[in-house]
């Protein structure tokens, strides 16, 4: 087996680590763009603190606070123009995956010919690492893993297509993971981002390009999430639980940076791309029960191992039986966290299913799944997702 691992991100992990932001950013530039959601609600104090820390370290700060869930070319192009005009030389993505992915895309869009969308993997241009602005990621959720990856995911609303810059140029130079910032996450955000982290680990673990090094990280990540996520939702201020989930998210991000995702992302991504009111984590939760039923026969031993994280009683049954129970175990977890849903409940038009199938079959993630589906099989899965059982 030939294995190539690359993880250039300096990870600063621990309670209070946000305080190092100014010192770290000053190593990379003199004018920082602070990329965030609007400054309101529970995250506002963290945004203010970050700005103060950057200014105290001598940086001029340009604030871009128009990040939206499921980032779009509209905001990214607007921010790229501002970054050029203001001569920004370091990008700070502060928030969940939407903020970090937006910052990554701006780092490309502000420094390359054309716009950021020209550099997604389906287009012909390739981002240049030496030109791309240095990126610092400060994550406030435990789910997307974007702070440790070479991916920037965003949507072109004109095309109604969601795609990705896949390039080592958008690996952050540094990632600050401060569990204190995660104590204010609402239950739904904790559930969907936590489930997102689970999918990253699970899909890297079952990917046809899986390798023993990443398998170990994926297993640790999944076990933490299965045993901790519900506790964190019930006790949101518990720093121990938040620290464990932040660990799991960081590990699962490393997993997808080195192996990658599979079929659920190729189906879930078009759903949230065409229906931006559906969060990325929620779209994956929607897909998973059907995906697991479809795939389990091709990956029995690994499915069985993960199923036993959910239910220790499965230690006493065969791998075949344990693997077949994984879909039910995941569905029950989703129901307890109130993220078990259907296309109908998410207001995804049934008429959109054929377009989702088309996009899923064009996505390379489909072809690294342990069992590769036909377009008809993807459609059947989506038809089964129309209503909850």
């Amino acid at each position: 087996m030939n294995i190539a691992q690359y993880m250039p991100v300096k990870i600063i992990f621990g309670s209070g680590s946000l305080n190092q932001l100014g010192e770290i950013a000053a190593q990379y530039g003199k004018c920082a763009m602070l990329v965030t959601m609007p400054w309101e609600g529970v995250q506002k104090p963290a945004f203010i603190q970050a700005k103060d820390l950057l200014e105290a370290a001598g940086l001029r700060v340009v604030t871009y606070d128009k990040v939206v869930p499921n980032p779009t070319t509209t905001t990214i192009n607007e921010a790229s123009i501002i970054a050029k005009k203001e001569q920004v030389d370091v990008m700070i993505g502060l928030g969940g995956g939407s903020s970090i992915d937006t910052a990554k895309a701006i780092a490309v869009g502000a420094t390359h010919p054309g716009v950021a969308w020209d550099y997604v993997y389906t287009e012909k241009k390739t981002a240049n690492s030496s030109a791309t602005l240095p990126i610092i990621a400060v994550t406030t959720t435990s789910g997307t893993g974007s702070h440790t990856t070479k991916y920037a995911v965003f949507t072109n609303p004109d095309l109604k297509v969601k795609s990705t810059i896949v390039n080592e140029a958008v690996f952050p130079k540094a990632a600050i993971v401060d569990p204190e910032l995660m104590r204010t996450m609402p239950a739904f955000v904790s559930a969907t981002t936590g489930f997102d982290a689970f999918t990253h680990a699970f899909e890297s673990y079952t990917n046809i390009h899986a390798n023993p090094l990443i398998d170990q990280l994926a297993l640790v990540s999944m076990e933490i999430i299965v045993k901790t996520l519900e506790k964190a939702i019930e006790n949101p201020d518990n720093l121990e639980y938040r620290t464990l989930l932040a660990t799991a998210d960081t590990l699962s991000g490393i997993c997808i940076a080195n192996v990658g995702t599979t079929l659920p992302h190729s189906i879930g991504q078009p759903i949230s791309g065409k229906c931006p009111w559906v969060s990325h984590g929620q779209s994956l939760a929607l897909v998973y029960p059907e995906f697991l039923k479809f795939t389990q026969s091709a990956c029995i031993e690994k499915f069985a191992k993960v199923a036993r994280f959910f239910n220790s009683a499965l230690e006493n049954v065969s791998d075949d039986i344990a693997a077949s129970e994984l879909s039910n175990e995941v569905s029950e977890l989703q129901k307890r966290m109130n993220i078990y849903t259907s296309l109908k409940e998410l207001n995804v038009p049934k008429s959109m299913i054929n377009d989702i199938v088309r996009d899923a079959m064009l996505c390379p993630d489909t072809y690294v799944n342990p069992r590769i589906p036909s377009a008809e099989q993807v459609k059947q899965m989506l038809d089964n997702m129309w209503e909850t059982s």
Side-chain angles (χ1 to χ4, degrees):
M1 176 177 290
N2 295 317
I3 298 173
Q5 307 295 124
Y6 184 54
M7 193 63 237
V9 183
K10 181 177 182 179
I11 300 170
I12 299 94
F13 188 108
S15 181
S17 56
L18 178 62
N19 290 318
Q20 298 181 51
L21 176 61
E23 174 189 348
I24 295 166
Q27 299 173 28
Y28 296 101
K30 296 181 179 179
C31 179
M33 176 171 270
L34 180 59
V35 180
T36 70
M37 301 284 273
W39 287 32
E40 56 193 22
V42 294
Q43 290 196 98
K44 184 177 179 179
F47 298 156
I48 294 171
Q49 182 184 359
K51 186 172 185 290
D52 289 346
L53 287 165
L54 292 166
E55 290 178 338
L59 285 91
R60 182 168 66 88
V61 180
V62 177
T63 300
Y64 187 78
D65 62 353
K66 298 181 183 179
V67 172
V68 294
N70 293 315
T72 67
T73 53
T74 305
T75 53
I76 289 164
N77 293 347
E78 177 185 68
S80 296
I81 292 169
I82 295 170
K84 288 180 186 177
K85 180 181 177 181
E86 296 289 340
Q87 297 185 316
V88 168
D89 51 12
V90 57
M91 299 297 307
I92 316 288
L94 171 56
S98 296
S99 294
I100 296 171
D101 282 1
T102 299
K104 289 178 173 182
I106 298 166
V108 173
T111 54
H112 289 71
V115 294
W117 185 261
D118 296 335
Y119 298 87
V120 298
Y121 76 90
T122 50
E123 300 299 319
K124 296 180 180 179
K125 294 181 180 179
T126 302
N128 186 314
S129 295
S130 61
T132 303
L133 293 175
I135 303 153
I136 298 171
V138 185
T139 182
T140 62
T141 65
S142 295
T144 69
S146 186
H147 57 292
T148 59
T149 73
K150 57 185 176 184
Y151 311 123
V153 184
F154 54 109
T155 298
N156 186 322
D158 295 329
L159 302 176
K160 292 189 177 179
V161 172
K162 194 172 191 178
S163 193
T164 311
I165 294 174
V166 182
N167 195 299
E168 291 176 359
V170 297
F171 266 123
K173 298 295 185 183
I176 293 176
V177 186
D178 187 340
E180 293 279 0
L181 301 178
M182 298 154 197
R183 297 167 83 166
T184 55
M185 264 195 295
F188 179 77
V189 176
S190 293
T192 53
T193 58
F195 191 80
D196 189 13
F198 173 84
T199 73
H200 294 158
F202 184 84
E203 291 167 46
S204 296
Y205 181 56
T206 56
N207 191 302
I208 64 170
H209 297 305
N211 70 64
L213 297 180
I214 292 301
D215 281 357
Q216 298 311 306
L217 302 185
L219 287 167
V220 171
S221 176
M222 286 186 284
E223 186 169 16
I224 289 172
I225 292 165
V226 170
K227 294 181 177 179
T228 309
L229 182 53
E230 289 179 271
K231 294 177 182 178
I233 292 169
E234 293 167 3
N235 304 277
D237 198 45
N238 186 296
L239 189 58
E240 179 185 359
Y241 298 151
R242 293 302 188 188
T243 301
L244 285 167
L245 289 176
T247 301
D249 175 34
T250 300
L251 293 176
S252 68
I254 295 170
C255 290
I256 58 171
N258 285 282
V259 176
T261 54
T262 65
L263 182 60
H265 277 71
S266 61
I267 299 175
Q269 198 159 285
I271 292 172
S272 56
K274 296 177 189 306
C275 303
W277 57 89
V278 180
S279 73
H280 176 65
Q282 182 66 89
S283 73
L284 291 169
L286 166 72
V287 170
Y288 249 72
E290 290 298 323
F291 149 72
L292 292 170
K293 291 175 190 175
F294 173 80
T295 306
Q296 68 93 13
S297 63
C299 201
I300 289 172
E301 184 178 348
K302 285 189 170 184
F303 270 50
K305 192 173 188 70
V306 177
R308 292 172 179 131
F309 290 154
F310 287 87
N311 184 350
S312 60
L314 296 175
E315 296 285 355
N316 303 315
V317 302
S318 68
D319 281 357
D320 281 342
I321 294 173
S324 70
E325 287 297 313
L326 182 56
S327 179
N328 289 333
E329 294 291 344
V330 168
S331 294
E332 290 304 313
L333 172 65
Q334 291 180 359
K335 289 173 184 176
R336 293 193 298 271
M337 299 192 302
N338 296 314
I339 61 170
Y340 183 76
T341 189
S342 66
L343 287 168
K344 186 176 181 180
E345 289 175 347
L346 292 174
N347 296 314
V348 177
K350 200 167 189 178
S351 60
M352 200 171 278
I353 285 178
N354 287 336
D355 289 341
I356 295 168
V357 172
R358 179 201 64 212
D359 287 2
M361 296 308 294
L362 291 172
C363 180
D365 287 4
T366 297
Y367 303 96
V368 291
N369 200 56
R371 183 184 177 195
I372 298 172
S374 65
E376 291 74 18
Q377 288 169 322
V378 173
K379 185 177 186 305
Q380 184 61 61
M381 281 186 265
L382 285 158
D383 286 341
N384 293 344
M385 296 172 208
W386 178 249
E387 290 191 78
T388 53
S389 57

